[in-house]
Amino acid sequence: SIYSNANLSAEIFGIHSVAGSGTASTRIFNNQIRSLFPGQSITVGAVARGIAMSNGIARVYNNFINLDLTQTFVPAAGWGTLAGNVLTADNALRGVETIGGTDSLSFNTIRLNGAAAGNFGSSAVMMTGGVTTRMNNNIAVNLSTASGTGIVAAIRKLPAGPHDATSDRNNLYAGATLAAPYYIYYDG
């Protein structure tokens, strides 16, 4: 398990890759990411991300991401006590996030599950900032339960704009239900 200090609440990542401008390429592969718990201080803005890539060229393949908020969590000695799930914002739980750049996701399994108070929402795959993402042979399942104005999506793209679906092949996107606020693809 990875968790931040009980007195802190912020972002927690399984893997976070930040690339500078240029043509440098990052490869993220053969990882198992699970049991991510941000600090328990009930601070607005807590986010848990399995893998996040920013502003570069990333190849992400053969990863297993299982972010399940329904699992029992007991902090290690000295890290405080469990105060409950602090992920209370829309899109607070993200399996894979691409921010700008050109990314390729292949042969990954992404599974999200859980619920929270506030306006909780989640995205198995999140694309932001004019990103170009090729997705092939992935499984993205989001079983989370939305609350308030939160959105639960297998794939989410912000800001609203076209998604290059011609680069998507052999992917399985699934959710618990297909009625608002639950979506396979959410744009906006």
Side-chain angles (χ1 to χ4, degrees), residues 1-26:
S1 295
I2 299 176
Y3 43 88
S4 61
N5 187 297
N7 297 320
L8 301 173
S9 184
E11 301 175 84
I12 191 164
F13 302 85
I15 297 173
H16 187 201
S17 172
V18 179
S21 61
T23 59
S25 180
T26 302

Side-chain angles (χ1 to χ4, degrees), residues 144-158:
S144 299
T145 301
S147 65
T149 60
I151 301 291
V152 170
I155 307 294
R156 185 186 303 217
K157 186 168 188 319
L158 294 173

Side-chain angles (χ1 to χ4, degrees), residues 84-108:
N85 182 357
V86 298
L87 300 175
T88 58
D90 184 28
N91 208 24
L93 184 64
R94 304 169 193 174
V96 172
E97 181 174 24
T98 62
I99 305 167
T102 302
D103 302 312
S104 171
L105 279 65
S106 301
F107 300 100
N108 298 290

